[in-house]
Each structure stands twice: as structure tokens, then as C-alpha cells.
Amino acid sequence: MTPILAGHDLHKSYGLTPALRGAAVEVAAGEILAVMGPSGSGKSTLLHCLAGVLAPDRGQVYFAGARLDRLPDRRRVELRRTAFGLVYQFGQLVPELPVVENVALPLLLAGRPWGAAVTEARGWLARLGLAGLDERRPAELSGGQAQRVALARALVARPKIVFADEPTGALDSAGADDVMEILVAAARDLGTAVLIVTHESRVAGFADRVVLLRDGDVR
Ligand code: ADP
């Protein structure tokens, strides 16, 4: 079976600092893959190369069988908007916007009418246990609530892949389990693949498969 996402022989340096040295990884459609490794092993760089945020110096990235790293910027941005969802450690919500608009944002950017986008966003908030928080600003949420809002925003456009960079890094273990359970259940439901980078084995325990990154290569 063709993987939905694949990186081959990925190299990336920041100046003289090598971050990736020939890393390779494949994710099947609907698979939940954890990439583990110590701090500085290249996890974030790998995630950003696979998501088309960073261009690798060498190697190839394939999404649904086509070269992602060769696409013009405009097409890569569009793909990230329609087929990818991203979740970061601190949620990265827009502080000025109420929660419901934060979640609706990917749909609004894709041209969905306001009313439909907001209705869909409210549905996701209810589904992730956040009903009643629609009009709050991100600063009025707990860390776990903010991270669940970030999950809703990553899932609202029904992406093919969610990329999650230390999604529970700012949460206690109960909050982390909560976020992981929600992410995994929603991904299974939608058939979405998930690539999680984490240094926590507790988080990796939610994945179907775990690969280990060390010094910029998968061992
Ligand atoms: P991880 O996510 O596993 O902590 P990173 O991908 O963030 O690893 O970093 C891999 C290596 O690249 C580290 O040595 C790090 O210091 C370096 N690095 C990461 N981002 C930058 C950057 N923007 N500029 C310079 N060096 C960087």
C-alpha cells in the first residue's frame, strides 16, 4: 500500500548544525505514528519537513504519492490548509479571537461561508467537551482546554494528516491523557493519520507504531 506520507533520505542543517541526517519515515493512511527521541534529535525539524513548512536540503517528501517538497509555495500552503492539521505544544491560538472563531478559521480561510463554518466549529467544540466555551478568549482557558481547542481547529477541515509537535508538552499527565484520547478517537473516526513528535513514552503509548530518532536519523 502507498503510504499517505513518506520522507526519504531527509537532510537538513541550520548553518553548520545538522538537524536531520538521512532520516526516513512513512505513515500509512489512518495510522497513528509517534516519532520519539531526546531533545535536539531533530523531531521538530522532521515534522516541519514532512508538513512542507521547511524545505529539506536533500531527500524527498511524498504526500499521497506526489512530491511535496517540489511544489511551489502557493500550492504547499494550500495543501497545508486543506489536507493537513497542525497542533503545537502551546496551542498557538489567535488571542484576539473567541474560541469558536479560532476553530472556524481553517474553514473560513478555505472560503466556507461564515454561518456554516461557525456551525461546524461549534459541533467540534461540543464533541471535544468544550460546549459553553465558544465565546471565551484563549487567555480565559486552562492549558488542557486550550489544547483541545487547538485539536478542534486541526480537525475541523477533516484533514488527511494531523501533525502534532509535543501536543501535551505543557500539560500534566491527566491532561495529556485526555488530549491524546480525544485526538486518537477523532482521528480514528475521520480516518485521519496522525504524526506525533514527543519525548514522552506515555504519549507514544497512544500510537499504533513508534519510531526513534537519534542524531537526525531514524534508528
Ligand atoms: P527536537 O525537536 O528533537 O528537539 P529540533 O529539530 O528542534 O530537535 O533540533 C535539531 C537540532 O537543530 C538541534 O541541534 C537544534 O539546536 C538545531 N536547531 C533547530 N532549529 C534551529 C534553528 N532555527 N536555528 C538553528 N539551529 C536549530
Side-chain angles (χ1 to χ4, degrees):
M1 196 180 68
T2 313
I4 185 84
L5 182 75
H8 299 305
D9 191 32
L10 294 173
H11 291 254
K12 177 77 185 174
S13 294
Y14 301 98
L16 293 175
T17 309
L20 294 180
R21 310 187 218 206
V25 63
E26 293 192 343
V27 189
E31 183 181 31
I32 298 176
L33 177 73
V35 176
M36 284 198 77
S39 177
S41 58
K43 301 184 298 298
S44 292
T45 304
L46 178 64
L47 179 140
H48 285 124
C49 285
L50 292 171
V53 176
L54 276 177
D57 299 333
R58 216 172 94 194
Q60 309 89 41
V61 178
Y62 293 88
F63 171 68
R67 279 293 283 271
L68 170 70
D69 54 300
R70 290 242 179 100
L71 288 178
D73 286 353
R74 191 179 48 78
R75 286 283 323 281
R76 257 187 304 121
V77 169
E78 192 183 305
L79 197 65
R80 280 210 300 279
R81 210 178 264 165
T82 55
F84 296 172
L86 278 111
V87 182
Y88 291 100
Q89 184 171 353
F90 297 106
Q92 259 87 335
L93 301 173
V94 182
E96 296 81 7
L97 293 181
V99 159
V100 66
E101 288 178 37
N102 265 282
V103 176
L105 215 48
L107 300 177
L108 294 169
L109 289 170
R112 190 83 68 88
W114 177 268
V118 165
T119 302
E120 185 83 12
R122 286 194 203 288
W124 274 96
L125 288 168
R127 186 169 170 180
L128 300 198
L130 298 164
L133 301 183
D134 304 16
E135 299 308 322
R136 294 240 187 124
R137 308 279 150 175
E140 298 162 346
L141 302 175
S142 72
Q145 287 170 338
Q147 208 54 337
R148 277 187 277 157
V149 173
L151 290 185
R153 183 183 55 187
L155 292 161
V156 72
R158 298 172 182 273
K160 294 277 179 252
I161 308 181
V162 168
F163 295 90
D165 192 353
E166 302 279 6
T168 64
L171 306 177
D172 61 23
S173 51
D177 284 357
D178 195 32
V179 158
M180 287 309 300
E181 275 161 20
I182 287 170
L183 174 58
V184 167
R188 298 255 188 254
D189 211 30
L190 295 177
T192 299
V194 183
L195 187 142
I196 310 161
V197 313
T198 182
H199 63 276
E200 295 176 72
S201 43
R202 187 183 181 93
V203 170
F206 285 87
D208 299 322
R209 189 163 63 89
V210 181
V211 297
L212 191 61
L213 198 63
R214 225 176 249 294
D215 298 329
D217 200 355
V218 175
R219 309 282 156 153

